[in-house]
């Protein structure tokens, strides 16, 4: 393919993507395929001779689309949003076209510098404390990670390194292995599984702190466990607070937890992967109160801020704590500006070496939507979630299982877990809408997350009518079957 054909095919692909997104509501939200469907549809080996673009293009609908779950459908209410917008798609195209490997300032100065500035822009939008911003000479700063999982892992590893070095300076007789065996990380029992995975990778113990009746961790619960562990000779070093848990969008009590962690010299990382985007709205900013106690903070613009995956924004108060844990300087990566203090090399902030020009997506979206446009997007989703909540509350057969704060509603039929498992099964088998469940206090709960950029009240009302009718049909057969038994 030469440049002339690229121009032609590029226009065709843009048209295809635009048509796909414009008419996505006409596609079944969840595919009708079984595991292994794709392998029989393609050859066993790559072709020896080139194939035409036409041949490849026609296979998109024939082979790929039948197995696609349509995350941007207005009938997709599972997990959390996967953000998407046309400005972000165009920026991603430009990033791929430039194709730089922005591991250092010298590898592509614009890639590094735009990221630093965009993370400052984003930090100011959510009113992060000044210490988290790079500014013109601050000690903090932001970086784009691939996911919140990576941000949590980087924070935990940085905290581990910092604690090991500190303990060794105080007790030089202890080996690194001695200290590692006593380190303990903590998180809510509602925290995302990626926190436990970070501890597994980091080779440290992790303990879950019990949440209260509103699914939040409070200061007294953390302090009790810390006191017990210190009395047992363990070394608490890391706590991951969650703002907007995956199961029900609950918020740990950061104003209680933060001072305890600061006093105990425990690194506190705040994971706001989903909810963080809402903090650009003044009416939701109070949910971030207490972040001033944190060492690191993260949220995903690729969830709710119209920036396509991947774009996970992470900030640290003291970037040397992060870079100091991972800094390696082979000669082939060095450049004469690296010690100037004016720039940062992002390879020291992440697990991989190479990195894409992801800040272009933020730059395009923030400029073309503006803060007000993004605020309206968030507010619309929150309004729609309260609409769904209202519809549920009007039906006495159902119950709401957690406070509806942002764009997630947790609900269920009043009755057994088995009943609700069957309800979810028939909802998803009908493939009109798509939901996923969670467990809250031993209850099997259905999660309804407002996700699509194009979702409207008509889609919410349709989803509820569909769920309500399926529930009616289920309860009839359920009662008949149980009467017979």
């Amino acid at each position: 393919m030469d440049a002339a054909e690229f121009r032609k095919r590029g226009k065709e692909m843009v048209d295809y993507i635009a048509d796909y997104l414009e008419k996505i509501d006409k596609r079944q939200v969840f595919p009708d395929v079984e595991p292994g469907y794709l392998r029989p549809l393609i050859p066993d080996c790559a072709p020896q001779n080139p194939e035409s673009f036409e041949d490849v293009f026609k296979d998109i609908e024939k082979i790929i689309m039948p197995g696609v779950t349509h995350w941007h459908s207005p009938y997709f209410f599972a997990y959390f949003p996967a953000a998407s917008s046309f400005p972000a798609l165009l920026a991603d195209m430009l990033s791929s076209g430039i194709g730089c490997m922005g591991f250092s300032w010298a590898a592509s100065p614009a890639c590094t510098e735009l990221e630093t500035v965009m993370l400052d822009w984003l930090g100011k939008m959510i009113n992060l404390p000044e210490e988290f911003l790079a500014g013109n000479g601050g000690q903090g700063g932001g970086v784009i990670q691939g996911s919140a999982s990576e941000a949590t892992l980087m924070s935990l590893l940085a905290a581990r390194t910092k604690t090991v070095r500190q303990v060794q300076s105080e007790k030089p007789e202890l080996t690194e292995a001695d200290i590692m065996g006593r380190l303990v990380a903590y998180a809510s029992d509602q925290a995302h599984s990626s926190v436990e995975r970070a501890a597994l990778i980091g080779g440290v113990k992790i303990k879950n702190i019990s949440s209260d009746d509103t699914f939040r961790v409070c200061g007294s619960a953390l302090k009790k466990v810390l006191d017990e562990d210190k009395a047992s000779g363990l070394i608490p070093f890391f706590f991951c607070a969650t703002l907007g848990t995956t199961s029900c969008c609950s918020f740990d009590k950061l104003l209680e937890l933060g001072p305890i962690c600061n006093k105990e010299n425990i690194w506190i990382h705040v994971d706001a992967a989903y909810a963080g985007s809402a903090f650009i709205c003044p009416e939701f900013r109070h949910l971030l109160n207490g972040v001033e106690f944190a060492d690191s903070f993260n949220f995903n613009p690729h969830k709710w801020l119209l920036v396509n995956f991947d774009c996970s924004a992470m900030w640290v108060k003291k970037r040397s704590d992060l870079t100091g844990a991972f800094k390696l300087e082979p000669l082939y990566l060095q450049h004469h500006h690296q010690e100037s203090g004016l720039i940062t090399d992002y390879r020291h902030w992440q697990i991989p070496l190479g990195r894409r020009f992801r800040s272009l997506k933020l730059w395009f979206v923030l400029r073309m939507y503006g803060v007000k446009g993004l605020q309206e997007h968030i507010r619309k989703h929150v309004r729609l979630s309260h609409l769904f909540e209202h519809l549920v509350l009007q039906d006495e057969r159902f119950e709401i299982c957690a406070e509806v704060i942002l764009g997630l509603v947790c609900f269920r039929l009043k009755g057994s877990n088995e009943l609700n498992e069957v309800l979810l099964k028939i909802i998803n088998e009908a493939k009109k809408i798509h939901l996923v469940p969670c467990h809250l206090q031993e209850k099997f709960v259905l999660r309804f997350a407002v996700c699509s950029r194009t979702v409207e009240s008509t889609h919410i009302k349709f989803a509820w009518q569909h769920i309500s009718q399926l529930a009616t049909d289920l309860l009839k057969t359920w009662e008949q079957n149980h009467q017979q038994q």
Side-chain angles (χ1 to χ4, degrees), residues 190 212-216 244-251 385-386 388-390 392-393 398-412 438-441 443-448:
Q190 299 295 315
D212 62 17
D213 290 341
T214 59
F215 312 106
R216 305 191 297 170
T245 57
T246 302
S247 293
C248 65
C249 198
S250 58
F251 291 76
S385 74
H386 285 296
F388 186 81
E389 176 192 26
H390 175 70
V392 174
L393 289 172
F398 286 85
E399 60 183 339
I400 296 292
C401 303
E403 182 183 2
V404 179
I405 300 174
L406 297 176
L408 176 67
V409 182
C410 292
F411 73 107
R412 71 195 301 272
C438 69
H439 274 114
L440 294 175
Q441 294 176 340
K443 288 183 177 181
F444 186 91
V445 173
L446 282 66
R447 296 170 73 263
F448 186 94

Side-chain angles (χ1 to χ4, degrees), residues 34 47 51 82 144 218 258 295 324 347 367 422 441 466 473 482:
E34 296 297 326
E51 296 182 8
I144 298 175
C218 63
D295 295 279
R347 70 180 185 274
R367 292 182 67 185
V422 174
Q441 294 176 340
H466 180 60
D473 297 341
H482 282 72

Side-chain angles (χ1 to χ4, degrees), residues 181-370:
R182 293 162 57 186
L183 293 179
V184 190
Y186 305 88
S188 165
D189 58 9
Q190 299 295 315
H192 194 271
S193 59
S194 59
V195 184
E196 183 177 355
R197 178 179 287 183
L200 287 171
I201 296 171
V204 296
K205 301 179 185 69
I206 185 166
K207 294 189 176 184
N208 287 334
I209 308 299
S210 297
S211 54
D212 62 17
D213 290 341
T214 59
F215 312 106
R216 305 191 297 170
V217 167
C218 63
S220 58
L222 175 62
K223 190 173 187 310
K224 179 176 182 293
V225 178
L226 292 179
D227 289 344
E228 291 171 355
D229 285 351
K230 287 192 298 179
S232 300
L234 298 175
I235 305 173
F237 81 103
F238 178 85
F239 176 72
C240 180
T242 306
L243 300 181
T245 57
T246 302
S247 293
C248 65
C249 198
S250 58
F251 291 76
D252 289 341
K253 298 180 180 180
L254 204 50
L255 286 167
E256 296 180 13
L257 298 162
I260 293 170
C261 290
N262 286 181
K263 182 181 177 183
E264 299 289 345
N265 202 23
I266 294 171
W267 182 299
I268 182 166
H269 174 67
V270 177
D271 173 10
Y274 162 66
S277 296
F279 304 153
I280 68 171
C281 299
E283 64 269 32
F284 300 125
R285 174 55 180 78
H286 69 278
L287 297 168
L288 185 56
N289 289 348
V291 73
E292 59 270 20
F293 299 108
D295 295 279
S296 52
F297 169 73
N298 164 251
F299 84 91
N300 291 344
H302 67 231
K303 274 193 169 67
W304 209 9
L305 216 57
L306 300 179
V307 178
N308 293 60
F309 187 84
D310 57 343
C311 183
S312 184
M314 174 188 180
W315 291 265
V316 287
K317 263 186 186 167
K318 196 174 179 183
R319 60 179 177 267
S320 60
D321 286 340
L322 193 63
T323 60
F326 306 103
K327 195 168 186 176
L328 295 172
E329 296 285 14
L331 183 60
Y332 50 82
L333 295 178
Q334 295 177 22
H335 57 92
H336 63 278
H337 289 291
Q338 65 187 39
E339 303 300 336
S340 67
L342 299 175
I343 53 92
T344 189
D345 285 345
Y346 278 122
R347 70 180 185 274
H348 303 310
W349 297 56
Q350 61 176 22
I351 297 297
L353 174 63
R355 55 204 332 272
R356 299 178 69 245
F357 202 161
R358 292 176 289 205
S359 57
L360 285 170
K361 292 184 287 190
L362 273 175
W363 193 46
F364 274 46
V365 169
L366 297 184
R367 292 182 67 185
M368 296 181 72
Y369 277 91

Side-chain angles (χ1 to χ4, degrees), residues 457-473:
S457 60
T458 52
H459 303 112
I460 303 298
K461 291 173 183 175
F462 170 84
W464 173 246
Q465 289 166 0
H466 180 60
I467 293 168
S468 179
Q469 184 59 54
L470 290 177
T472 298
D473 297 341

Side-chain angles (χ1 to χ4, degrees), residues 42-95:
I42 59 177
D44 285 340
C45 303
Q48 292 296 316
N49 298 310
E51 296 182 8
S52 69
F53 178 82
E54 286 91 346
D55 289 338
V56 177
F57 192 77
K58 70 182 181 185
D59 280 345
I60 296 173
E61 284 294 332
K62 181 181 175 183
I63 297 173
I64 302 302
M65 284 300 173
V68 170
T69 299
H70 300 290
W71 280 66
H72 303 294
S73 167
Y75 300 111
F76 183 92
F77 302 106
Y79 311 105
F80 275 133
S84 176
S85 69
F86 294 120
L89 286 170
L90 291 173
D92 226 3
M93 187 187 299
L94 178 59
S95 173

